[in-house]
Amino acid sequence: MTLTSLKPMVETILLNKESSLETRLFEICTLLEANVSYYNWVGFYFINGNKNELKLSTYVGEPTDHTIIPFGKGICGQVAVSNENFIVPDVQAQDNYIACSIDVKSEIVIPIFVNGDNIGQIDIDSNTPDPFSEKDERFLEFVAETVAKQLKGSLFN
Ligand code: SME
């Protein structure tokens, strides 16, 4: 399945208000992991209250010990402070990297913004070396923006 053809499915899942937001985020993880061969671990981290750390929300893939990540630590913690997408073609070449599984070769992290604030991120690990391109960035930015709209709604409705 192409990334473009997944977009309407992402919207359908996120607009289904009969499910909790957590369930919908889990369904997004499931959809992405099942339909993109090189997306092997898909999860959401969000800022943990008023602490300078990220907390793992819902995910699909191998369980990880890294349910809390301090700002600045690892790829995820760096994105929490840089507010920028981070593509890692080869995780072994990174000094500031938190390993979850020896199978993981590469990673992409895309921040989620609500009202201009970086409130969390989509994190994807791949067992394939260097698989991510601008197409993944644009697609995952779309997912992040669609999630952000729902988060905005859940905060103010
Ligand atoms: N590799 C991440 C940690 C989270 S796991 O990929 C699920 C990092 O360096 O921040």
Side-chain angles (χ1 to χ4, degrees):
M1 198 161 314
T2 65
L3 297 177
T4 305
S5 65
L6 289 171
K7 283 186 177 182
M9 299 182 201
V10 167
E11 279 181 318
T12 302
I13 288 171
L14 286 168
L15 288 171
N16 176 17
K17 301 245 169 75
E18 286 178 13
S19 299
S20 70
L21 192 54
E22 195 179 357
T23 300
R24 285 179 269 158
L25 292 179
F26 178 72
E27 287 172 6
I28 296 294
C29 296
T30 304
L31 178 81
L32 268 48
E33 191 273 340
N35 289 287
V36 186
S37 60
Y38 53 94
Y39 289 6
N40 301 113
W41 188 99
V42 180
F44 289 92
Y45 283 91
F46 292 105
I47 309 290
N48 192 13
N50 58 6
K51 298 181 185 165
N52 288 336
E53 63 186 28
L54 296 161
K55 186 177 180 193
L56 181 60
S57 173
T58 183
Y59 68 94
V60 167
E62 273 186 51
T64 175
D65 291 338
H66 304 292
T67 54
I68 297 286
I69 298 179
F71 284 6
K73 301 280 182 197
I75 308 304
C76 296
Q78 290 177 77
V79 170
V81 292
S82 74
N83 304 327
E84 304 277 354
N85 298 343
F86 199 159
I87 291 186
V88 182
D90 173 8
V91 293
Q92 291 202 4
Q94 291 290 322
D95 292 334
N96 190 357
Y97 169 71
I98 301 167
C100 287
S101 152
I102 52 161
D103 294 329
V104 174
K105 302 285 190 293
S106 53
E107 179 162 2
I108 184 169
V109 179
I110 305 288
I112 300 171
F113 298 98
V114 172
N115 298 329
D117 293 328
N118 179 352
I119 54 90
Q121 49 193 238
I122 305 170
D123 177 21
I124 298 184
D125 288 341
S126 179
N127 300 343
T128 303
D130 196 9
F132 300 114
S133 71
E134 276 185 27
K135 285 186 183 164
D136 297 280
E137 279 190 86
R138 298 295 90 76
F139 169 66
L140 294 169
E141 284 168 356
F142 168 83
V143 177
E145 283 161 19
T146 313
V147 167
K149 280 183 202 155
Q150 295 307 310
L151 288 170
K152 231 175 180 171
S154 73
L155 292 174
F156 297 112
N157 289 338

